[in-house]
Structures are given as C-alpha cells and as structure tokens.
Amino acid sequence: MRGRNPIEDLAHLRHEFGEHGGVNMSIETSSTFTVIDPETMPDLFQGRAGPDRGCYLYGRHFNPTVYNLGRQMAALEGTQAAYCTASGMAAISGVIMCLCNAGDEVVASSAIYGGSYALLHDFLPAKSGITTHFVDISDVDAVANAITDKTRLIFTESISNPTLRLANIPRLSALAKESGIPLVVDNTFSPLILSPAVLGADIVVHSITKYISGASDVIAGAICGSETFIGALMDLHMGPLMLLGPTMDPNVAAGISLRIPHLPLRMNAHSQRALAITARLDELGLKVTYPGLPHHPDHALFEELHCDEYGYGGVFTLDVGDEETANALMSCLQNEQRFGYLAVSLGYFDTLMSCSGSSTSSEMSDEDKDSAGISPGLLRISIGYTGTLEQRWSQLQAALRHTGLI
Ligand code: PLP
C-alpha cells in the first residue's frame, strides 16, 4: 500500500540551508525571541502570528529548530503538521489531555506499551476522571460496542507492543469517523512501514526514542496531525504542551533531524535481519511471532497495509514458556554470546531484549497480561543490524542450545 512517497517529501524538505549557508539546519538555542514591531506581541499571544509566519514567542511555545523537525515528522507521516516533545509519553499524554476533559472516556487497545496502559488505566482516572475501556483492537465490533457518547478518541498502536498484532487502521478509521471521534495511532514500531494517517488515522504519535533516533541515546517524541490540532496543543490557555511544558531541546531536535535521512536504510536493515532470523527460528519449531511469517494472524492484513520496501519491522517475540528460561536465555545471549543487550526499548542498531511480562508490560495485572496474550516466558527482541547475519545466527543457536531450547 502506498498513497504517497514520504522519502520524496522528506528529500524536498531537507533542501533547506542553515543560517550561514550550512548544509544542515541551524540550531536556535534562544529561549525567548524579540519582536521588531511591538504590535506583533499581542498578535503572537492571540494566535494571529506564529511560526508559520516566521514569528516566535518563547521556547516552550515554539522553537524554530524543533519546528523544523516537526515539519520533517509531518512529511514522514503525511500529516499537515507535527510538533516534537520531550518523550513519547509526553506526546501520548499531550494528545489525550488535549482531546479529553474530566469525565470523558477513551477506547483503547488492551495490548499497548505498559506506560501508555498505566497512563490510561491508573494515572488519568485518578488525576482527571478520564477513564478508558480497553478492548481487543482486532475485534472492531468490540471497539464499536465500547464507544459511548462520552468517548473522545480511539487509541491504538499500529503494531501492538509486545504482542505484534496489527491494527486494522482503515476499519478503525471508518468507525471513528462514523462516531465523530479521532483515531489516534502510536506508530513507534513501524515508521515508514506503516503510514497510519494515509490509512485514515487522524493523529499519529511516536516515541522518537526508538527507531527514529536509532541509537538509544535520546528520549523524544512527536505528535503528527492537522494544523488546527497542533495549534490546539500549543494554545496559551488550554494547550497541554504549552501548559504542561514537555518541550524538546533544540539540540536534540537538530541531532534527530540528521538521522531521519537514513531512517529508510535502517528500517530496511532491521526488517531484513528480523525476517531472516525469525524464519530460521520458525523452522526449528520455536514459538516465534513476527508479522513477516506467513502464519502470523495478521500477515495478510500486513501485506495489504504496509509499504513492502521496509518489510515487517525489527521486533519479534519468542515464547520460551516461563520467565526462568527467558532469563537464562537472555543472560547467555548477553553475557556469553554477545548477541545483544538485556535492556528495555527497541529500534537500536544493536539487539535489545527483555521479558515483557516482568518489564515493559509489568504495569498490567496478571489477568490483563493474560487476556492481552503476554505470557510470562515471552521475550521481546528488537533485532539490530550490526555484525553479520551468520555471526548473529550462530550466537543465537548456541544460546538456544545452552538453554535446552533446541
Ligand atoms: N509508545 C511505545 C509503543 C513504546 O514502546 C514506548 C516506550 O517504550 C513509548 C510509547 C514511550 O516512549 P518514551 O519512552 O519515548 O516516552
């Protein structure tokens, strides 16, 4: 599926000079900005002047370097606008706080990152009376049944963390439109692979910390949507980004903008390596889940929705039965084989692995983990592209033998 080519849009945008003719954009570090004409100040405060007209007010509102990265994120996701935040969680919470008032409801996928789950399940009800109905996002009828007249948005990950189910974005989008509410998609697992906004989502969020950064060295996020929505996030009276202040540092924005040009190469490398390794694990009869494998329950839908140039992503899971075996395998892979790191997160150039039930999904109750399909021995592996395939495969095989799994 391809409606537009984000790479062409990005290449067009990149052709922008730094302040002194530099080939990279300049970094604007000022926290406050002058106006030449005093009349511009009230215009800025009343939203009549803004960054689209080259007018800046204060760094927590808009910053030129962060704004430029936002334009790149908008090009990546095919939205009118985007703005970047200090983390993926700041992006998600900002969107929800912008769309909901006290007493409103969210319908969300039950299989989402543990932090997003805790935000919706624990934090928001306690702090603001915003409550969430969690549903199996693959069951669009269940999603429809959960919508009430208080529902203000549907929230899902494009590929669920860690269960790797694919949301049927076109069907969810049709339902959201019928219900008059926006569909918000967290596309952290699949930049370029899936384009949720092109498939019908209204708002796309990212943890830039993962693939877009690619080096596990920054925490960052982004919100991509309409110009009106991005403006609402920055409203001086009611905008959650403006008022809660999860601002991205301009130095971080400049660094990230230098990584977006090679994101396509990196996504391709992650996906190729993941497909080769999971196909071999599958042949050995291990319980491996990866959307690129033909028996994955959403493989056919993936074929329909994804951009095939970038494959199926770099994350797969391996269910080894129990936590003890999972820990023994990870320990051998890290400490003896040097296959990767026992660490949370994903999208790094090296391999990262964690046992989801006791780490990034530990915020969920055992019952909720069970119904989301997160078993105690489920290992989430974000495959890196360093080393060679054969080197990594022999390390993995050795650890599987050591743990008695093959
Ligand atoms: N969304 C997903 C799918 C994630 O996996 C994560 C973090 O692991 C987040 C959001 C939160 O991002 P951040 O750590 O940048 O706040």
Side-chain angles (χ1 to χ4, degrees):
M1 156 101 199
R2 154 141 297 163
R4 55 181 275 279
N5 191 336
I7 301 305
E8 289 174 3
D9 294 351
L10 278 165
H12 188 71
L13 256 189
R14 278 287 307 170
H15 215 75
E16 213 170 80
F17 301 110
E19 195 184 353
H20 305 288
V23 292
N24 292 311
M25 72 174 172
S26 305
I27 307 177
E28 176 55 73
T29 57
S30 301
S31 58
T32 192
F33 297 85
T34 55
V35 288
I36 303 298
D37 174 2
E39 302 303 315
T40 312
M41 195 59 96
D43 282 351
L44 272 161
F45 271 89
Q46 264 125 57
R48 289 189 297 269
D52 53 331
R53 288 168 47 197
C55 300
Y56 292 89
L57 169 67
Y58 183 61
R60 176 158 46 77
H61 187 233
F62 283 109
N63 165 286
T65 312
V66 184
Y67 188 73
N68 270 344
L69 179 64
R71 283 164 27 124
Q72 291 174 40
M73 288 302 299
L76 181 73
E77 286 298 349
T79 54
Q80 264 180 358
Y83 204 62
C84 296
T85 53
S87 68
M89 284 312 296
I92 295 167
S93 52
V95 168
I96 295 168
M97 297 293 276
C98 197
L99 294 172
C100 296
N101 292 327
D104 286 342
E105 296 175 3
V106 175
V107 171
S109 165
S110 54
I112 49 175
Y113 163 61
S116 308
Y117 178 86
L119 174 76
L120 293 165
H121 188 266
D122 304 319
F123 184 91
L124 287 173
K127 300 288 182 190
S128 65
I130 298 167
T131 53
T132 297
H133 294 281
F134 291 95
V135 289
D136 173 0
I137 208 73
S138 303
D139 182 350
V140 179
D141 291 337
V143 181
N145 289 335
I147 295 173
T148 72
D149 58 0
K150 288 186 180 165
T151 308
R152 296 290 170 264
L153 68 130
I154 301 173
F155 178 75
T156 186
E157 290 170 2
S158 45
I159 303 177
S160 65
N161 179 4
T163 48
L164 306 180
R165 293 300 306 264
L166 175 64
N168 191 331
I169 298 167
R171 281 196 66 199
L172 290 168
S173 155
L175 173 64
K177 285 193 172 54
E178 247 170 58
S179 315
I181 53 175
L183 172 65
V184 181
V185 177
D186 179 339
N187 199 29
T188 297
F189 271 47
S190 43
L192 291 168
I193 296 172
L194 293 162
S195 294
V198 177
L199 296 168
D202 302 280
I203 297 161
V204 182
V205 290
H206 271 282
S207 167
I208 286 182
T209 314
K210 311 296 175 351
Y211 286 109
I212 295 171
S213 150
S216 284
D217 62 339
V218 289
I219 300 285
I223 303 170
C224 313
S226 67
E227 259 159 26
T228 312
F229 185 69
I230 300 302
L233 291 164
M234 284 303 180
D235 186 88
L236 271 75
H237 301 277
M238 284 297 281
L241 293 192
M242 180 59 191
L243 298 176
L244 300 177
T247 314
M248 177 182 272
D249 186 291
N251 291 292
V252 169
I256 295 294
S257 84
L258 299 180
R259 302 174 195 195
I260 290 185
H262 46 74
L263 179 66
L265 305 175
R266 292 187 281 112
M267 290 316 292
N268 202 297
H270 282 291
S271 292
Q272 277 189 28
R273 185 67 63 89
L275 185 61
I277 290 204
T278 53
R280 293 180 189 195
L281 290 170
D282 196 39
E283 250 173 54
L284 292 175
L286 292 165
K287 254 179 116 178
V288 60
T289 301
Y290 183 62
L293 296 176
H295 57 69
H296 184 280
D298 300 320
H299 182 71
L301 181 63
F302 215 104
E303 292 291 292
E304 212 181 291
L305 302 187
H306 84 145
C307 174
D308 32 312
E309 269 161 78
Y310 304 109
Y312 305 88
V315 180
F316 68 88
T317 63
L318 186 62
D319 193 343
V320 296
D322 55 70
E323 200 181 331
E324 208 187 338
T325 314
N327 287 342
L329 179 62
M330 288 190 294
S331 173
C332 181
L333 282 169
Q334 173 179 262
N335 304 326
E336 283 159 48
Q337 294 300 325
R338 299 181 172 223
F339 173 80
Y341 298 100
L342 202 175
V344 296
S345 202
L346 56 120
Y348 185 40
F349 49 72
D350 270 327
T351 295
L352 299 177
M353 46 203 174
S354 53
C355 189
S356 297
S358 52
S359 60
T360 50
S361 300
S362 59
E363 292 88 344
M364 298 167 81
S365 68
D366 286 347
E367 203 186 19
D368 288 344
K369 278 188 261 191
D370 199 43
S371 67
I374 304 166
S375 60
L378 192 79
L379 266 187
R380 186 188 75 185
I381 300 181
S382 166
I383 207 80
Y385 48 77
T386 56
T388 64
L389 171 62
E390 295 315 323
Q391 175 193 26
R392 296 307 186 192
W393 177 241
S394 73
Q395 292 169 334
L396 182 52
Q397 266 184 315
L400 289 167
R401 260 188 233 113
H402 178 83
T403 331
L405 286 159
I406 55 171

